[in-house]
């Protein structure tokens, strides 16, 4: 098959993140922590023209949506996370979507780092605004300036699959709703992947075995293991070139060690309710001080990559390929790729382990789930094809057939039906070209940057478990941390008033935290916790906690 032959020659492995780039996801987490600071366009869009009669529309989700292929939807958003295969190349999955729906797509896609500014400019001018697009501005701003179409009525009339999915997943539906209770945007749902593909600390199991060390749990044990990695030449080349721990996401990657002390500093960036439901600013706690002192010790002894502030996923994969990195952080699904790279660089016995979360006595073990929703995908108020747009979204987002295309790809290439259920092929699970499973799927257009679902239950939940295939190693690692996974950022959408307050406070708070915590870790700033916490309070962090408390209570219905 021509397509399969092409994929076999795609040997360049792109170290990207599942579903959304995690650089983008972390940026999204920070924005949520900042209570979605307003920004972006400054001009309201003109009133939308009337919806024209669509040619030969089928009712409900009957296909094709447009029988004669005479409608083209303009879609704008991030481009494929697998860089060599742009969505603009009409990838096989999207060719199949077009064939089944009868709807053509004009893709306007760019790298996530470039998309927001370009799209904001387009919204300001009001020219050539896409029918469907990833929202690049604050949701409140888009609503107030009437840039986007409310979706509730459209879903009630034309999108039975979306309607059912929202009814079956009330917490995720609540997360998508705006401050006024209405739905203006769909988000990707990751609740299934959270358990089957957890994000956590990864460590070289063969290095532990070679040095006669056990898997570390406490912070002291992690210190001892990383020190042994630095001093005892586990890669066996006679050179002191090991990098014991190479994180990414700057100091927030290092802050995930705060899990050992009951903190939620990674995805939740330090705002989290305790067991009584009281939201805390966790960076103000004694536990956070203990963590910073510990990280400062590791950095001072060379156990943390000295360039951690600037490390990217590409940096990590390069270090692994050189057989230098002893521990890092990523998704369970990356282990196969890391194992392969390490075996090429070291020996056939090289291999990685998803470590159990670090744990100090008196605390509960935890890894934070990612999601449960990410991104905001909207229909423009100016679109002349709103009905067709919501039908198309109903198909790719929430129908079982459309979801199979998004998550499993093309039958006979990336999956086969076995006993009535889709199963990934060896071409995905053990790709001969060296690609990890996610990027094999992305290379044909699946696992997209469009809205898509990996649910925890129901017919849209099959992909995450199937991606493990018959990999008993990965399955066992997923199962042993399953009970330790906790929700992140359990907060409702902010109100306009909350956003106004936060937009005045958060820039100063985040700027001070970024500079000071980094300085504490590197030793450039002496650790003075009293001054640090006092300054954060002076900058208004306690007011942010009050707002987060209100958002938490709205979400849980108090």
């Amino acid at each position: 098959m021509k397509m399969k032959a092409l994929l076999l020659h795609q040997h360049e492995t792109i170290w990207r993140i599942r579903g959304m780039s995690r650089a983008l996801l972390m940026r999204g987490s920070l924005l949520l922590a900042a209570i979605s600071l307003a920004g972006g366009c400054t001009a309201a869009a003109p009133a939308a023209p009337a919806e024209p009669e669509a040619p030969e529309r089928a009712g409900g989700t009957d296909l094709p949506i447009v029988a004669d292929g005479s409608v083209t939807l303009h879609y704008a958003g991030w481009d494929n996370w697998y860089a060599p295969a742009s969505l603009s190349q009409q990838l096989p999955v999207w060719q199949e979507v077009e064939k089944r729906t009868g709807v053509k797509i004009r893709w306007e896609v760019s790298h996530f780092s470039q998309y927001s500014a370009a799209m904001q400019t387009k919204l300001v001018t009001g020219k050539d605004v896409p029918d469907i697009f990833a929202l690049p501005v604050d949701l409140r701003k888009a609503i107030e300036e009437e840039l986007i179409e409310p979706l509730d009525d459209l879903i009630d009339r034309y999108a039975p699959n979306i309607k059912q999915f929202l009814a079956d997943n009330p917490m995720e539906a609540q997360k998508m709703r705006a401050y006024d209770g209405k739905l203006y945007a769909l988000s990707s749902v990751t609740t299934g992947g959270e358990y089957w593909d957890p994000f956590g600390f990864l460590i070289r199991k063969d290095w532990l075995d070679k040095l006669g060390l056990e898997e570390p749990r406490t912070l002291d044990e992690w210190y001892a293991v990383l020190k042994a990695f630095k001093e005892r030449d586990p890669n066996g080349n006679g050179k002191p070139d090991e990098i014991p721990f190479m994180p990414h996401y700057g100091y927030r990657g290092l802050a995930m060690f705060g899990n050992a002390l009951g903190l939620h500093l990674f995805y939740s960036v330090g705002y989290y309710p305790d067991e009584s439901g009281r939201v805390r600013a966790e960076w103000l706690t004694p536990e956070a001080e203990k963590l910073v002192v510990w990280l400062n010790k590791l950095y001072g002894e060379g156990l943390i990559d000295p360039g951690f502030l600037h490390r990217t996923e590409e940096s990590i994969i390069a270090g692994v390929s050189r057989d230098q990195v002893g521990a890092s952080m990523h998704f369970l699904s990356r282990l196969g790729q890391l194992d392969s790279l390490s075996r090429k660089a070291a020996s056939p016995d090289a291999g990685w382990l998803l470590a159990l979360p670090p744990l100090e006595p008196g605390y509960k073990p935890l890894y934070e789930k990612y999601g449960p929703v990410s991104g905001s995908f909207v229909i423009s108020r100016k679109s002349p094809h709103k009905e067709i747009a919501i039908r198309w979204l109903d198909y790719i987002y929430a129908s079982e057939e459309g979801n199979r295309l998004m998550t499993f790809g093309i039958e006979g290439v990336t999956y086969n039906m076995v006993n009535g259920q889709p199963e990934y092929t060896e071409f995905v699970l053990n790709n001969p070209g060296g690609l990890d499973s996610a990027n094999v799927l992305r290379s044909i257009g699946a696992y997209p940057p469009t809205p898509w679902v990996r649910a925890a239950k129901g017919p849209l939940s099959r992909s995450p478990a199937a991606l493990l295939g018959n990999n008993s190693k990965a399955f066992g690692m997923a199962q042993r941390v399953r009970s330790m996974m906790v929700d992140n950022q359990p907060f409702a959408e902010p109100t306009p008033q909350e956003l106004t307050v936060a937009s005045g406070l958060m820039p100063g708070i985040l700027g001070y935290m970024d500079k000071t915590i980094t300085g504490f870790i590197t030793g450039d700033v002496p650790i003075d916790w009293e001054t640090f916490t006092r300054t954060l309070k002076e900058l208004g962090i306690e007011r942010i906690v009050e707002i987060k408390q209100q958002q938490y209570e709205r979400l849980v219905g108090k």
Side-chain angles (χ1 to χ4, degrees):
M1 183 179 295
K2 181 178 180 181
M3 179 180 66
K4 194 166 184 177
L6 174 63
L7 291 175
L8 284 169
H9 288 87
Q10 291 176 338
H11 290 280
E12 179 185 2
T13 303
I14 306 298
W15 183 278
R16 297 291 181 196
I17 308 292
R18 294 190 65 203
M20 292 184 63
S21 160
R22 288 315 184 225
L24 179 62
L25 182 56
M26 281 303 295
R27 186 176 299 137
S29 294
L30 294 180
L31 290 175
L32 284 170
I35 319 191
S36 303
L37 301 182
C41 62
T42 57
E51 171 83 0
E53 182 68 16
E56 298 187 40
R57 284 192 295 254
T61 54
D62 294 340
L63 298 177
I65 298 169
V66 180
D68 60 3
S70 61
V71 173
T72 298
L73 291 177
H74 180 185
Y75 178 96
W78 311 288
D79 205 351
N80 200 343
W81 306 125
Y82 180 68
S86 171
L87 292 179
S88 62
Q89 297 173 9
Q90 300 298 325
L91 301 175
V93 162
W94 296 100
Q95 291 179 27
E96 190 66 23
V97 170
E98 179 177 330
K99 182 174 74 173
R100 298 186 190 189
T101 64
V103 178
K104 298 178 181 178
I105 298 296
R106 174 161 70 95
W107 297 99
E108 182 183 346
V109 289
S110 56
H111 190 273
F112 72 87
S113 64
Q114 302 165 347
Y115 171 74
S116 181
M119 191 63 203
Q120 287 186 43
T121 300
K122 180 161 289 194
L123 292 176
V124 169
T125 64
K127 296 180 180 179
D128 196 27
V129 176
D131 299 288
I132 304 170
F133 58 93
L135 188 64
V137 298
D138 176 74
L139 181 62
R140 180 196 66 162
K141 191 175 188 68
I143 295 169
E144 292 178 348
E145 297 189 355
E146 298 185 341
L147 300 174
I148 58 179
E149 184 72 12
L151 300 182
D152 290 291
D153 289 345
L154 286 172
I155 290 171
D156 280 343
R157 295 174 64 189
Y158 306 116
N161 292 300
I162 295 176
K163 184 175 181 178
Q164 187 63 53
F165 179 76
L166 296 176
D168 292 342
N169 297 271
M171 185 60 71
E172 289 71 43
Q174 177 67 9
K175 279 282 207 177
M176 295 184 212
R177 293 196 175 275
Y179 56 87
D180 60 2
K182 296 180 181 179
L183 188 71
Y184 296 87
L186 295 175
S187 298
S188 292
V189 175
T190 65
T191 49
E194 293 165 353
Y195 286 110
W196 292 106
D197 190 16
F199 187 97
F201 290 109
L202 309 180
I203 192 166
R204 280 288 290 270
K205 179 65 165 59
D206 59 310
W207 283 16
L208 291 174
D209 294 341
K210 181 177 181 179
L211 300 179
L213 301 170
E214 298 294 327
E215 176 186 353
R217 290 301 306 275
T218 68
L219 295 181
D220 284 346
E221 289 169 356
W222 268 97
Y223 167 78
V225 163
L226 296 179
K227 191 171 182 67
F229 283 178
K230 179 177 176 62
E231 297 177 348
R232 295 173 59 188
D233 192 27
N235 66 12
N237 66 0
K239 303 176 182 178
D241 60 350
E242 287 84 358
I243 303 170
F245 186 72
M246 181 185 280
H248 49 127
Y249 308 123
Y251 77 84
R252 286 182 175 83
L254 295 174
M256 199 166 77
F257 278 110
N259 292 14
L261 299 160
L263 303 177
H264 309 74
L265 305 177
F266 189 61
Y267 284 126
S268 297
V269 291
Y271 297 97
Y272 207 81
D274 61 19
E275 292 184 355
S276 68
R278 182 176 63 86
V279 175
R280 299 192 304 164
E282 293 181 334
W283 277 113
L284 299 180
T285 63
E287 288 89 350
E289 180 182 15
K290 180 177 179 179
L291 172 69
V292 166
V293 170
W294 183 79
L295 291 171
N296 170 266
K297 175 183 177 181
L298 266 62
Y299 185 86
E301 295 187 24
L303 308 185
I304 296 171
D305 178 13
F308 74 90
L309 285 175
H310 310 291
R311 289 298 176 248
T312 63
E313 293 161 348
E314 288 80 8
S315 304
I316 295 170
I317 200 169
V320 171
S321 299
R322 295 191 299 266
D323 196 28
Q324 292 178 317
V325 178
S328 187
M329 54 202 304
H330 221 295
F331 293 90
L332 173 60
S333 60
R334 294 301 185 198
L335 255 67
Q337 182 187 21
L338 296 185
D339 285 350
S340 177
L341 292 169
S342 295
R343 287 165 186 166
K344 289 179 181 178
S347 74
D349 298 325
W352 289 74
L353 171 72
L354 173 68
L356 291 169
L359 180 64
E360 289 289 280
Y363 298 93
K364 295 180 180 179
L366 70 94
Y367 274 138
E368 288 186 273
K369 303 173 189 175
Y370 47 92
V373 298
S374 61
S376 295
F377 301 89
V378 299
I379 296 176
S380 169
R381 287 289 293 269
K382 299 184 70 174
S383 171
H385 303 301
K386 297 184 186 71
E387 179 182 329
I388 295 173
I390 198 65
R391 289 176 184 268
W392 184 83
L393 287 168
D394 189 62
Y395 178 73
I396 70 161
Y397 182 77
S399 75
E400 186 170 358
E401 179 181 298
N403 179 263
R404 187 174 298 168
L405 284 166
M406 298 301 105
T407 58
F408 283 91
I410 302 297
E411 186 173 4
V413 178
T414 51
Y415 79 93
N416 292 314
M417 296 300 294
V418 179
N419 297 323
Q421 299 295 328
E423 291 188 2
Y424 289 111
T425 63
E426 284 297 297
F427 187 62
V428 174
L429 301 176
N430 295 291
N431 181 253
L435 289 179
D436 65 274
S437 299
N439 279 330
V440 174
L441 292 163
R442 291 181 184 129
S443 69
I444 63 170
Y447 269 43
T450 64
W452 63 304
V453 172
R454 288 166 292 164
K457 60 183 184 298
L460 310 188
S461 67
R462 297 189 177 104
S463 172
L467 199 59
L468 293 181
N470 59 0
N471 188 334
S472 59
K473 174 184 175 181
F475 180 84
M477 291 182 190
Q479 289 300 102
R480 74 178 193 146
V481 302
R482 186 180 183 90
S483 65
M484 305 172 189
M485 304 296 294
V486 300
D487 293 334
N488 80 83
Q489 298 213 56
F491 304 116
E493 279 289 321
T495 65
Q497 294 77 16
E498 290 167 348
L499 280 166
T500 298
V501 174
S503 64
L505 297 177
M506 285 307 299
I509 291 171
L510 287 174
Y512 177 73
M513 287 178 64
D514 290 350
K515 179 179 179 180
T516 307
I517 295 171
T518 300
F520 285 167
I521 294 171
T522 62
D524 293 336
V525 177
I527 298 175
D528 181 348
W529 207 251
E530 181 179 351
T531 298
F532 173 68
T533 56
R534 183 179 68 248
T535 302
L536 284 175
K537 291 177 181 178
E538 291 171 353
L539 290 170
I541 196 169
E542 291 174 316
R543 182 70 181 101
I544 297 300
V545 171
E546 292 175 4
I547 292 173
K548 288 289 187 182
Q549 186 71 47
Q550 295 166 4
Q551 292 177 307
Y552 171 71
E553 292 176 1
R554 285 202 304 275
L555 184 72
V556 300
K558 286 189 176 181

